[in-house]
Amino acid sequence: MLGNKVLHYDSLSSTNDYLINLCKDYHMTDSLIVLADKQTSGKGRLNHKWYSNNGLFFSFLLDVDHFSQSFYINILTSLSVVKVLKRFKIDACVKYPNDIIVANKKIAGILIESIVANKKKYLIVGLGLNVNNSIFPNDICDAVSMNMITGLNYNKKNLLDVFALEFNKIIKKSNQSKQKIFNLQHYIKILYGYEHYVLCDYKEKRYLVKVLSVSNKGILTIKFKSGDIKTVSYMDIKFLLS
Ligand code: BTN
């Protein structure tokens, strides 16, 4: 069960990198969480930096048969984060592919990396959740924290426990095919742009689109305001917060 073992550090360069290195040297189990109070080189997607103070920063791994399971794991992780926030009375949605949004700002991000170690395929799942920040540096204008939404301070270990609980519940059920469809139906309902038009950049132009469906590999079917319908992946489209 995820969370049975937690390696907790005051500071790491990146919990993802730390776990990747552990995998190279040891046989790792998917119950382990690597947690750091801060990261000196927190990584985001597309080589972005992840601001890593006053938040919850952790990584875990899943050994998989195919790296193509990566997006489905992203879906399960996103659903778990949204459920955790809901438990703390914060309504969140997901800006495809991996941003968790509250009040039109980013509260959390997920970074999934694929590695091969000792002939096994692993997905390294990293989550950064802004928790007790009351302010962000000036150059980070699109971020928000739980504290900024509710005015409360949160116990990060407790948040991690709630995340592990939700993730374990969802992963346990997800092997049943009916549950997979159920998860997809739930995921689409929390997607930014589901059933209402939002701005996006697609092939270097700006459009209004809405999301019609999503596959477990992360392929979206979108409808343009003009009526055109297309299938796109995260490489083709960037949703914009208004
Ligand atoms: C993103 O939104 O671009 C993804 C951000 C992921 C940040 C987390 S914090 C814990 C883990 N370790 C890292 O270096 N990155 C992820």
Side-chain angles (χ1 to χ4, degrees):
M1 295 260 279
L2 179 68
N4 277 358
K5 186 162 173 53
V6 178
L7 293 178
H8 187 175
Y9 297 91
D10 294 341
S11 176
L12 286 176
S13 60
S14 150
T15 55
N16 268 33
D17 286 349
Y18 189 84
L19 189 50
I20 288 170
N21 284 324
L22 279 184
C23 279
K24 289 179 188 158
D25 296 337
Y26 303 97
H27 169 75
M28 303 302 295
T29 72
D30 55 11
S31 58
L32 177 72
I33 292 179
V34 173
L35 171 69
D37 289 336
K38 64 178 186 195
Q39 301 181 114
T40 50
S41 302
K43 303 189 296 184
R45 277 182 66 242
L46 310 170
N47 284 333
H48 289 159
K49 287 190 180 136
W50 182 257
Y51 179 74
S52 302
N53 287 301
N54 288 316
L56 183 66
F57 315 110
F58 68 90
S59 304
F60 57 95
L61 61 84
L62 293 158
D63 71 45
V64 290
D65 297 330
H66 304 285
F67 288 136
S68 60
Q69 285 167 257
S70 175
F71 199 86
Y72 187 62
I73 296 302
N74 180 37
I75 289 177
L76 300 188
T77 310
S78 305
L79 281 167
S80 305
V81 178
V82 170
K83 280 191 176 175
V84 171
L85 290 169
K86 187 104 191 153
R87 279 202 188 210
F88 291 89
K89 302 194 165 39
I90 297 175
D91 274 329
C93 69
V94 176
K95 184 163 81 66
Y96 175 88
N98 77 321
D99 294 350
I100 313 295
I101 303 296
V102 173
N104 259 8
K105 293 193 168 181
K106 182 159 167 173
I107 200 163
I110 298 162
L111 173 67
I112 302 187
E113 299 183 83
S114 311
I115 63 153
V116 178
N118 304 315
K119 299 187 181 152
K120 286 184 127 194
K121 295 188 179 78
Y122 293 104
L123 295 176
I124 307 290
V125 184
L127 178 77
L129 171 64
N130 301 327
V131 181
N132 289 325
N133 317 68
S134 53
I135 192 167
F136 285 95
N138 284 342
D139 55 328
I140 306 178
C141 46
D142 61 346
V144 74
S145 71
M146 294 175 71
N147 172 277
M148 286 156 80
I149 297 293
T150 64
L152 301 172
N153 267 302
Y154 296 88
N155 176 315
K156 292 192 270 173
K157 184 64 178 58
N158 177 234
L159 283 171
L160 180 66
D161 290 344
V162 178
F163 174 84
L165 191 93
E166 293 295 351
F167 189 81
N168 282 326
K169 266 202 267 179
I170 214 165
I171 203 106
K172 192 172 163 201
K173 287 191 192 157
S174 81
N175 290 336
Q176 305 151 13
S177 60
K178 268 191 192 155
Q179 183 69 25
K180 273 204 172 112
I181 293 160
F182 180 75
N183 284 335
L184 281 176
Q185 282 164 354
H186 273 255
Y187 179 71
I188 195 163
K189 284 186 191 144
I190 55 168
L191 274 184
Y192 179 70
Y194 177 60
E195 283 187 341
H196 64 271
Y197 286 101
V198 293
L199 277 178
C200 76
D201 284 341
Y202 172 76
K203 297 204 167 160
E204 289 165 25
K205 280 193 183 158
R206 196 147 288 185
Y207 296 94
L208 278 169
V209 300
K210 65 181 176 184
V211 178
L212 299 181
S213 69
V214 62
S215 78
N216 59 4
K217 300 270 185 322
I219 305 298
L220 290 185
T221 305
I222 53 169
K223 183 172 184 179
F224 291 75
K225 202 89 202 245
S226 63
D228 285 357
I229 292 178
K230 283 197 188 330
T231 52
V232 295
S233 84
Y234 62 87
M235 285 181 286
D236 311 315
I237 192 162
K238 181 175 165 47
F239 286 92
L240 305 169
L241 295 171
S242 48

